[in-house]
Amino acid sequence: MRTHTYPGGAPQVGDMRMCTHPIPKERTWWAICTCGLIPSPEERTRFRGKGYQEGFIEGGQLGEAEGRRYGLANGAKIGSEVSFYKGFVVTWKCLLQNNQDAKNSKKEKALNSILEMVHNFPYEDPTNEKLQEDLEKMRAKFKQICSLLNVKPTFHTEKSVGMSF
């Protein structure tokens, strides 16, 4: 540890005199001089700039990781919802295919409509401006179909706690 002699004695706590010797560049930006005095204005500017750069890089990395987790979670929710609609439609089309009457033709037309919406859904482009709009239309069509089929519209996004037999 280096020691310095200053006119007026050794530095005391709260001493506002500036340290005049440079801190080596290989030391981290938060390091203070071994003499315990406040770094010079040039060093403070260097510390601030280096701290900003390190903070910007770390913030970018954390933001990217958080954005990825958020995107994965929301993408999975949307994917499972759209897949639920597709499975629902395919199942009901199989149930209605043997019974051909006027009421069933209206139901089949509505089922074909939502199936077309599922096939045209922009899976590959999460930045598509119409993604939310298309999803809302699909939800509305699903409610309409549930009304036609006289079934309760239920879609659960929660994970099941356990298995029951």
Side-chain angles (χ1 to χ4, degrees), residues 40-119:
S40 69
E42 295 82 24
E43 289 174 329
R44 283 195 308 241
T45 303
R46 182 171 56 105
F47 295 159
R48 213 173 288 125
K50 191 164 183 177
Y52 175 83
Q53 289 172 343
E54 289 177 5
F56 188 84
I57 290 168
E58 186 176 338
Q61 291 168 346
L62 292 174
E64 187 175 327
E66 184 179 340
R68 181 173 175 77
R69 282 191 304 272
Y70 180 78
L72 284 171
N74 283 341
K77 285 179 189 176
I78 291 172
S80 65
E81 184 177 353
V82 173
S83 297
F84 168 79
Y85 295 146
K86 183 178 181 179
F88 179 88
V89 168
V90 170
T91 303
W92 274 99
K93 282 183 75 160
C94 288
L95 292 172
L96 295 174
Q97 73 183 1
N98 295 335
N99 191 1
Q100 298 294 331
D101 63 356
K103 284 184 179 180
N104 282 348
S105 67
K106 185 175 182 181
K107 293 173 186 177
E108 287 223 13
K109 185 178 178 185
L111 288 168
N112 287 334
S113 171
I114 195 170
L115 191 59
E116 186 179 329
M117 292 170 122
V118 167
H119 289 299

Side-chain angles (χ1 to χ4, degrees), residues 20 22-23 59 99 128:
T20 56
I23 296 174
N99 191 1
N128 189 329

